[in-house]
Every structure is written in C-alpha cells, then in structure tokens.
C-alpha cells in the first residue's frame, strides 16, 4: 500500500507562500486510486484551509465539490473534477475525494503552466502522484474557445471573467436540450442562446415553436413573427397521417374504415388540381393543392355508389367533420378558402427564412391555435422542415434549426399510440443531423419526454431541476464524466446551468449573461404584492377581455 503523507505535509504558512518560484501553488494532496474514467485522491484539511483566502478564487475553492484539480503525468497535466468528498479520519484531518477525469494538456517546462487542453485521457497518473489546485490561468486554457465557431453565453463558475463558450457546429449538428424547472430563467436563457446564434449567423434559418406566445417580445427586432393572424398555413400541406388526425373522429376498427375512405377520396381530390394532373404517379401524401369542396364532393360521390363496402355512416362522419372545420372561424388560419392556391414556395421561403433578410429566426406562436389541432400544426411544421431537408439534398445545403419549447407536450413518454408530431420529432432526433436538421428541445419535465429522445441530444444544458425523477432522467442521459456537475443541479441558482456534451470542451457550470429587457421573452412571473395594490378601470378591463374572448383573437 502507498505510504500516506504525514499530517501537515501539504500545510503552508500563508496562501501567498503556497507556490513555488514558477507561480505554481504547492500540492494539496495525493492520488490514492485510479480507474478508467475516475479515481480517488486524499486532501489534508489544513492544506485546504490555508488556501481559503488565496487571491485566486479558483485556488481558494480548491478541494470543494465541483471544483477542478490537476495532476502531473510526464510532460502533461491531467485535469479532473471533484465529484464527492468524505472525511476519512477526524484526528488526521484527511479527506477522501472521488474525481472524474476531464482531459489533459501540455505542461510548459519553465512556468509549468497548462496549455493546449484537450478532452480525453491518454496517460494516467500512478497512486502517490501529487495533486495541485487549478488556477485561473489554467481554467482560461481549459475553457478557451479554439478556432471553431462559438458563442459566449456567460461566466464560468466561480469566476466572473472566464467566458463559457458553446461550439455552434457541434451543438447544432448533434442537437441540444435546455432543461430546467419553472422559474429558473429557462425562457430567458433560451432567448439568450438564440440571440447569440442569430448574431453569429445573421443569415441562418431557425424555426421556433412557441406554445405560449412568450418569444415574440424577445425577437421583434431580428425575427419574423407569426401567429394565427398571419401564418396562413395551407391545409393541403398536411400529409395523410395529419389529415386523419384532423378529419377522423372514430376509434378502433371504425377508424381504419374511415381512413381507407379518406385516403381514396383525398387522392382523387388532389388529382383534380392543375398541379396534381401534372404528376404521373401522385400519392396521397404529396403536398398538392386541392379544394375542400372537391374532397366533400368526392366523399358524397363514393357514398352514393352501390358497390361501397360499408354503410353511409363513415362517409357522413368524415363529411360532417370537414364541414364543421370549414365553418369554424378559429381554423381560418389554415382552412380558409383563400389558401387554395399553390403558395408552398412562398410559405417555405418566409417561415424557413430563405432568404432571411437579416431576420434569421421565425417565431411561430401557436397559443391562438385551437387545442384540438395544435399538435397537428406542430407536426406539419416539423415534418416540412425535415422533408425540405430530404428533398433538397442535391441542392446547396441550407441547414435548419428547429426549436421546440414545451417539448414534453409533443413527445410524451406515456403515449400508447404515438401521434404524428411525436413520430416526426422522434425521427428528427434520430436522423435529422444526416440531412442538416438541428433540433433544440426546451422542457421543464425531461422525465416526461419519450424514451431515447434526450439521449439523442449531444449537448445538454441543465438548469436547476427540483424533481428527483427529472434529475435521475438527466443523469442517465449525461456522460459519465459529468457526474460531479450533475450533483450540483438541485443547488444551482436562477440563470445558472451545467453544460455538458459535444457543445463544450468539458462539462462546465455557467452563470448566464444578463439579457437586455427588450430582448427578453414575456415570461416574467406576476408580482402579486405589487399588482394587488392597484385598483381602478376594472370595468374596461373586463369589457375588453370579453370582446377578445368572444372573437377568439388578440
């Protein structure tokens, strides 16, 4: 067994004296045990206490959970993160720490400073090797953004001047997820990240699904804003599966009968249009314009045939549902008679920002969409992003980022039969990067996401999560080397996060930058103590509210 250092072996008279002539702080412990991706080290309480007032804040917190240490290995420094601490013996003042290896960098011969940090470990230290605290200079090297395109989103904990950077291509190329309980600053942090991406790529192509109408306020200056008043999404862009979700009301065996009737009549209606007549092998999924009146007439004609296989009930069910939707003004943004012309090219151009004209992001506010078809609208938008990427593979590539707020609503884990939106978002998560489609998922309930979706996100940005089940779910999705950071998730402050995965060099804890008031989403919590002191104009408030309520518009 390796002989333990004598008590006081790492103790110095003052923090200023705790370094050698090269400026390197003296050792604070030794390596006890080494594994493939983790190990154990021993600290002495007195040595750590001597550093508490060190002018370098990183040296001052050396030995704490979540802090970093370094170990010399040949001509390199091995950097590790402290995952947990345990007092071995109160009498000797020795502390045993479990560590996770983060990466390694070269050691300058004269100054012994760290340089050229890289993820991964090629050479391990032996038990008994000395352990040193990481300095501010070291951490600058560790988190220094290399030549890759990156965005800066905040300051690395516990410093105020070392910038935390996200590598744009790695983060978007392999998807990302932003997780955090309600009230942690998740929406503002999402807006910050998207603003930084827009600044970095003013000719980008970003589509954001906004279920609560929060983000329009944040992107008035640099985004294209759409809601039910100006979205003008033609109904005929739906594929057959989406048509079924809108027009079919039956279940079980009856639903299959209805689906067969709808497929036959829909194909005939598409074939009547000028565009459809020019396609030799037209399919029911082809985005070809057709008239709802032609679909209803086709259903009526099929119902009147003597050789039909079923009663008239299925035909009447479908026909009455179509008439109901046509007559409902809430569906006008999609089923209006004004949307029958072939506007597919202009719809794709303005929603996908092709070209962006200095506004690279589309905010699709679906808060005014009837709840019965919200998931269909999200499915259509998501599928069109994916289909456009597939069918444009031989064209100059225009990658698209699809950001889905409240993702657990659209990819839930408890579905017996997955919906159209769940299927397409799941497919984008698995296959999107092959076709240039990036997916950003934002949710406060990661445990409610469908199994496997979170694990497809190469970069995870985790804010405070209060629920044990959510914490366990995120822990399972994060890489092993980030375990020490994961344990700090319940203790994060508002606007703080842990980032790990492809988008960062190593796992980091970051305090997000403050976003200007006019660039924040409209998601602030009401101040009851202030608002309940205000009185007056209640009659006008009620009158205006009822008017909007009745016309179903803002």
């Amino acid at each position: 067994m390796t002989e333990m250092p004598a008590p006081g072996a790492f103790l110095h008279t003052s923090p200023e004296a705790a370094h050698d002539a090269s400026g390197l702080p003296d050792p604070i412990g030794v390596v006890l045990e080494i594994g493939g991706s983790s190990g154990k080290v021993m600290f002495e309480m007195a040595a750590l206490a001597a550093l508490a007032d060190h002018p370098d804040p990183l040296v001052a917190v050396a030995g704490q959970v979540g802090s970093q240490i370094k170990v010399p290995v040949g001509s390199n420094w091995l950097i590790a993160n402290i995952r947990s601490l345990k007092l071995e013996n109160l009498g000797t003042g020795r502390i045993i720490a479990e560590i996770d290896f983060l990466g390694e960098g070269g050691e300058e011969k004269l100054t012994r400073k760290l340089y050229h940090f890289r993820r991964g470990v090629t050479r391990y230290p032996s038990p008994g090797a000395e352990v040193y605290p990481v300095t501010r200079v070291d951490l600058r090297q560790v988190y220094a953004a290399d030549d890759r395109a990156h965005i800066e989103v905040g300051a690395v904990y516990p410093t105020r001047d070392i910038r935390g950077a996200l590598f744009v291509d790695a983060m978007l190329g392999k998807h990302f997820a932003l997780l955090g309980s309600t009230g942690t600053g998740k929406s503002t942090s999402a807006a910050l990240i998207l603003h930084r991406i827009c600044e970095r790529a003013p000719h980008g192509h970003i589509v954001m699904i906004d279920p609560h109408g929060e983000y329009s306020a944040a992107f008035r200056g640099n985004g294209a804003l759409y809601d039910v008043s100006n979205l003008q999404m033609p109904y005929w862009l739906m594929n057959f599966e989406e048509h079924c979700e809108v027009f079919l009301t039956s279940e079980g065996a009856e639903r299959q009968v209805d689906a067969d009737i709808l497929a036959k009549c829909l194909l005939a209606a598409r074939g009547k249009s000028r565009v459809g007549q020019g396609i030799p092998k037209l399919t029911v999924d082809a985005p070809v314009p057709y008239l709802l009146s032609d679909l209803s007439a086709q259903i009526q004609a099929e119902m009147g045939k003597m050789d039909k296989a079923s009663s008239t009930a299925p035909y009447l069910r479908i026909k009455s549902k179509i008439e109901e939707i046509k007559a409902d003004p809430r569906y006008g943004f999609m089923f209006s008679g004004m949307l029958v012309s072939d506007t597919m090219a202009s719809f794709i151009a303005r929603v996908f920002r092709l070209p962006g004209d200095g506004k690279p992001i589309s905010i699709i506010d679906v808060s005014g969409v009837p709840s019965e078809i919200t998931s269909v609208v999200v499915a259509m938008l998501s599928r069109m992003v994916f289909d456009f990427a597939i069918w444009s593979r031989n064209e100059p590539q225009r990658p698209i980022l699809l950001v889905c707020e409240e993702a657990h609503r659209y990819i839930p884990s408890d579905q017996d039969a997955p919906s159209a939106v769940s299927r397409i978002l799941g497919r984008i998560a698995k296959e999107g990067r092959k076709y240039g489609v990036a997916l950003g998922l934002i949710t406060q309930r990661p445990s409610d996401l469908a199994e496997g979706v979170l694990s497809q996100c190469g970069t995870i940005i985790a804010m405070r999560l209060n629920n044990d089940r959510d914490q366990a779910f995120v822990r399972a999705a994060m890489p092993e080397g980030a375990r020490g950071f994961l344990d700090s998730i319940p203790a994060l402050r508002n606007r703080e996060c842990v980032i790990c995965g492809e988008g960062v060099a190593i796992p980091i804890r970051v305090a997000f930058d403050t976003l200007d008031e006019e660039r924040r989403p409209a998601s602030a919590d009401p101040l009851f103590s202030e608002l309940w002191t205000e009185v007056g104009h209640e009659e006008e408030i009620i009158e205006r509210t009822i008017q909007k309520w009745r016309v179903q518009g803002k």
Side-chain angles (χ1 to χ4, degrees), residues 33-45:
E33 183 180 308
I34 291 293
S37 61
S38 60
K40 291 183 180 180
V41 300
M42 187 276 294
F43 298 127
E44 190 172 323
M45 289 174 63

Side-chain angles (χ1 to χ4, degrees), residues 484-504:
F485 290 89
L486 281 171
D487 293 336
S488 67
I489 285 179
L492 293 173
R493 295 174 293 182
N494 283 359
R495 292 180 41 247
E496 273 193 350
C497 70
V498 169
I499 309 175
C500 72
E502 302 294 334
V504 287

Side-chain angles (χ1 to χ4, degrees), residues 135-167:
T135 67
R136 186 197 296 258
V137 175
D138 293 330
L139 211 60
R140 276 208 178 90
Q141 284 293 319
V142 169
Y143 296 126
D146 52 26
D147 294 335
R148 290 184 287 173
H150 64 275
I151 55 172
E152 294 182 351
V153 294
V156 176
Y157 176 86
T159 73
R160 293 183 179 179
D161 59 342
I162 297 178
R163 304 296 291 162
L166 287 166
F167 298 118

Side-chain angles (χ1 to χ4, degrees), residues 354-519:
L354 294 163
D357 296 325
K359 295 185 174 182
I361 184 169
S362 286
I363 304 297
I364 314 295
D365 175 3
V366 295
S367 60
V369 174
S371 57
E372 301 93 328
I373 64 163
T374 301
S375 64
V376 174
V377 170
V378 177
M380 281 179 67
L381 289 165
S382 305
R383 179 185 52 77
M384 288 188 68
V385 168
F386 190 63
D387 285 353
F388 179 80
I390 289 176
W391 295 110
S392 65
R393 288 194 77 178
N394 296 325
E395 302 292 335
Q397 197 170 26
R398 298 290 185 268
I400 298 175
L401 167 60
L402 175 66
V403 183
C404 191
E405 171 71 274
E406 297 276 353
H408 58 277
R409 291 172 53 174
Y410 306 117
I411 329 172
S413 58
D414 56 355
Q415 275 189 319
D416 295 330
S419 62
V421 65
S422 177
R423 267 192 287 268
I424 187 58
L425 288 175
R427 189 178 178 194
I428 291 173
K430 293 173 185 173
E431 305 173 30
R433 63 187 184 85
K434 301 175 186 175
Y435 303 103
V437 178
L439 182 64
L441 301 178
I442 305 172
T443 179
Q444 69 262 30
R445 291 305 305 271
S447 59
D448 287 345
L449 285 173
E451 186 178 358
V453 172
L454 193 60
S455 61
Q456 297 290 336
C457 295
T459 303
I460 294 179
I461 305 166
M463 305 183 76
R464 188 174 66 249
L465 290 165
N466 301 322
N467 185 286
D468 290 342
R469 190 160 158 261
D470 289 330
Q471 293 168 22
F473 202 81
V474 174
R475 188 173 285 108
M478 277 189 168
E480 190 172 337
R483 284 183 295 183
F485 290 89
L486 281 171
D487 293 336
S488 67
I489 285 179
L492 293 173
R493 295 174 293 182
N494 283 359
R495 292 180 41 247
E496 273 193 350
C497 70
V498 169
I499 309 175
C500 72
E502 302 294 334
V504 287
I506 61 170
I508 55 174
R509 178 174 171 178
V510 169
F512 281 118
D513 291 335
T514 300
L515 199 58
D516 294 339
E517 189 72 36
E518 66 273 10
R519 307 184 88 193

Side-chain angles (χ1 to χ4, degrees), residues 219-241:
F219 293 93
R220 282 197 184 98
N222 61 341
L225 313 179
Y226 299 103
D227 58 19
V228 293
S229 68
N230 65 349
L231 183 58
Q232 295 180 321
M233 174 184 274
Y235 59 87
W236 47 263
L237 288 175
M238 291 190 293
N239 65 11
F240 177 62
E241 182 181 21

Side-chain angles (χ1 to χ4, degrees), residues 78-202:
L78 175 65
I79 306 296
N81 186 67
I82 298 175
R83 187 199 321 161
S84 65
L85 297 170
K86 182 177 72 173
L87 182 64
E88 185 198 41
N89 188 301
L90 187 59
T92 60
R94 285 171 177 155
I95 297 173
I96 305 300
E98 292 186 336
I99 60 172
D100 296 311
F101 301 138
L102 299 176
E104 61 188 10
E107 178 187 358
E108 291 184 352
K109 290 184 178 180
L110 294 178
T111 63
R112 301 200 69 187
K113 291 179 180 177
L114 175 79
Y115 71 97
H116 287 168
F117 176 82
R118 55 204 174 273
R119 184 188 288 186
V121 180
T122 58
R123 188 175 172 187
Y124 293 90
S126 301
E130 293 180 327
V131 174
Y132 294 82
V134 163
T135 67
R136 186 197 296 258
V137 175
D138 293 330
L139 211 60
R140 276 208 178 90
Q141 284 293 319
V142 169
Y143 296 126
D146 52 26
D147 294 335
R148 290 184 287 173
H150 64 275
I151 55 172
E152 294 182 351
V153 294
V156 176
Y157 176 86
T159 73
R160 293 183 179 179
D161 59 342
I162 297 178
R163 304 296 291 162
L166 287 166
F167 298 118
V168 176
D169 294 325
M171 181 178 79
L172 301 186
K174 296 182 180 177
H175 311 317
F176 72 92
L178 174 58
L179 318 170
S181 296
T182 301
T184 57
K186 186 173 72 279
S187 298
T188 304
S189 301
L192 171 69
I193 292 170
L194 292 174
H195 274 302
R196 293 284 195 270
I197 293 174
C198 290
E199 290 163 7
R200 183 71 178 73

